[in-house]
């Protein structure tokens, strides 16, 4: 599902941001990626989306070798990957329904299908009653739930989350984790970058720790190693 082989990413400075990453993530896994600021977590996410190319090494996502995915084929790769960021990134001039529907309109889904899927996603994230609200009328936790609904509406095989609870309080963070766990139970492979070690400890999932562009520990069920 996700394989990295000897991946190096050098932005041009003396020290590479990623310095020899080897990683296998199976279909259906739920994985946390932790590590101090600058350790390379977001760089890893950007490589998986092919927003960046590695300096060397190979990356496979859904059996596709990203070094061989052409610009023309990029939309097909990205269609299979949902993404959620710390800062929500909703379209400010569209309501909740249209923010989620937009992701399906882009792939030219028929309107009837769009409606039933968007409503199903809104129900999953508990926001059916807010479908007409605009992003600036929602709390941070609600905005993030819309962002997750949007990321999942096309039923991607993989959901990548870069600090999804970074702007949220503990109650909202827990609610977001419940939704991610539900998506995972429905078969989505979920990767979550986070600094929230309380959540990592609670969830008891595979946890990969990065430091200086390397994986320094990879443990099942929430054991982690973290130096601040
Ligand atoms: N576009 C860029 N150009 C040059 N250097 C970069 C760029 N993006 C990231 N870096 C550097 O690469 C390293 C890894 O950055 P990255 O954003 O992947 O870290 P991170 O683990 O996500 O950190 P944080 O927890 O603060 O989000 C850092 O040293 C950073 O300064
Ligand atoms: Mg980051």
């Amino acid at each position: 599902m996700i394989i990295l082989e000897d991946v190096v990413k050098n932005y041009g400075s003396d020290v590479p941001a990623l310095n020899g990453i080897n990683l296998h993530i199976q279909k259906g896994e739920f994985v946390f990626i932790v590590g101090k600021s600058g350790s390379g977590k977001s760089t890893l996410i950007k490589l998986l989306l092919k927003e960046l190319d590695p300096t060397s090494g190979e990356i496979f996502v859904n059996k596709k070798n990203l070094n061989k995915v052409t610009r023309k084929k990029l939309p097909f790769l990205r269609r299979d990957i949902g993404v959620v960021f710390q800062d929500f990134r909703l379209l400010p001039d569209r309501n909740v329904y249209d923010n989620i529907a937009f992701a399906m309109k882009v792939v030219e889904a028929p309107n009837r299908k769009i409606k039933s899927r968007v409503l199903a996603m809104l129900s999953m994230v508990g926001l059916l009653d807010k479908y007409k609200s605009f992003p600036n009328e929602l709390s941070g936790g609600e905005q993030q739930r819309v962002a997750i609904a949007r990321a999942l509406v096309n039923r991607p095989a993989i959901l990548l989350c870069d600090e999804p609870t970074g702007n949220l309080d503990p109650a909202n963070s827990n609610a977001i984790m419940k939704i991610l766990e539900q998506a995972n139970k429905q078969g989505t492979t979920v990767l979550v970058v986070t600094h929230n070690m309380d959540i990592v400890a609670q969830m008891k999932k595979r946890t990969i720790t990065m430091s200086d562009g390397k994986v320094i520990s990879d443990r099942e069920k929430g054991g982690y190693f973290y130096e601040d």
Side-chain angles (χ1 to χ4, degrees):
M1 170 80 8
I2 296 175
I3 299 172
L4 285 89
E5 287 177 354
D6 299 324
V7 170
V8 173
K9 176 63 194 179
N10 198 326
Y11 287 107
S13 67
D14 307 345
V15 261
L18 295 179
N19 195 359
I21 302 280
N22 287 289
L23 213 52
H24 282 233
I25 294 170
Q26 311 281 345
K27 185 172 180 338
E29 278 199 85
F30 190 120
V31 182
F32 283 115
I33 298 182
V34 303
K36 58 190 169 192
S37 185
S39 58
K41 306 177 300 294
S42 296
T43 300
L44 177 65
I45 298 273
K46 286 174 187 158
L47 289 175
L48 294 176
L49 289 163
K50 206 173 156 73
E51 279 178 22
L52 295 172
D53 289 317
T55 307
S56 62
E58 298 207 303
I59 303 172
F60 297 84
V61 175
N62 296 329
K63 297 187 176 155
K64 290 183 190 121
N65 182 342
L66 297 200
N67 287 335
K68 296 191 174 148
V69 172
T70 58
R71 194 153 294 281
K72 218 172 121 187
K73 291 269 172 68
L74 213 48
F76 296 98
L77 170 81
R78 298 215 176 124
R79 214 167 275 188
D80 239 3
I81 310 176
V83 207
V84 174
F85 299 98
Q86 177 173 358
D87 55 359
F88 322 133
R89 302 193 190 180
L90 300 176
L91 301 166
D93 56 346
R94 286 171 205 245
N95 67 24
V96 165
Y97 182 95
D98 288 331
N99 260 279
I100 303 170
F102 184 72
M104 289 187 82
K105 286 188 179 144
V106 170
V107 300
E108 292 173 359
N111 272 333
R112 256 210 352 247
K113 192 167 159 193
I114 293 179
K115 188 172 177 195
S116 74
R117 283 265 197 95
V118 172
L119 294 179
M121 292 315 305
L122 281 171
S123 154
M124 179 189 177
V125 300
L127 284 176
L128 269 178
D129 54 333
K130 301 266 183 182
Y131 76 99
K132 277 188 179 162
S133 300
F134 283 82
N136 66 0
E137 298 167 334
L138 300 175
S139 73
E142 288 166 344
Q143 287 183 62
Q144 193 61 303
R145 278 144 66 193
V146 175
I148 293 173
R150 175 182 62 182
L152 290 172
V153 76
N154 283 323
R155 298 187 179 161
I158 302 173
L159 181 65
L160 304 177
C161 309
D162 196 349
E163 302 193 38
T165 62
N167 287 342
L168 304 179
D169 67 9
N172 277 304
S173 300
N174 285 328
I176 293 298
M177 285 300 145
K178 287 262 154 19
I179 293 167
L180 297 182
E181 205 166 25
Q182 194 186 337
N184 178 245
K185 286 208 172 100
Q186 290 168 2
T188 316
T189 305
V190 178
L191 220 86
V192 183
V193 169
T194 187
H195 286 282
N196 191 331
M197 299 318 282
D198 290 339
I199 277 181
V200 173
Q202 273 169 37
M203 297 274 288
K204 301 194 175 16
K205 305 288 189 191
R206 178 179 173 189
T207 303
I208 293 166
T209 307
M210 296 183 58
S211 177
D212 295 331
K214 292 194 160 111
V215 171
I216 56 163
S217 98
D218 185 347
R219 302 191 183 177
E220 291 305 317
K221 302 211 184 329
Y224 60 87
F225 174 78
Y226 194 55
E227 271 181 316
D228 237 341

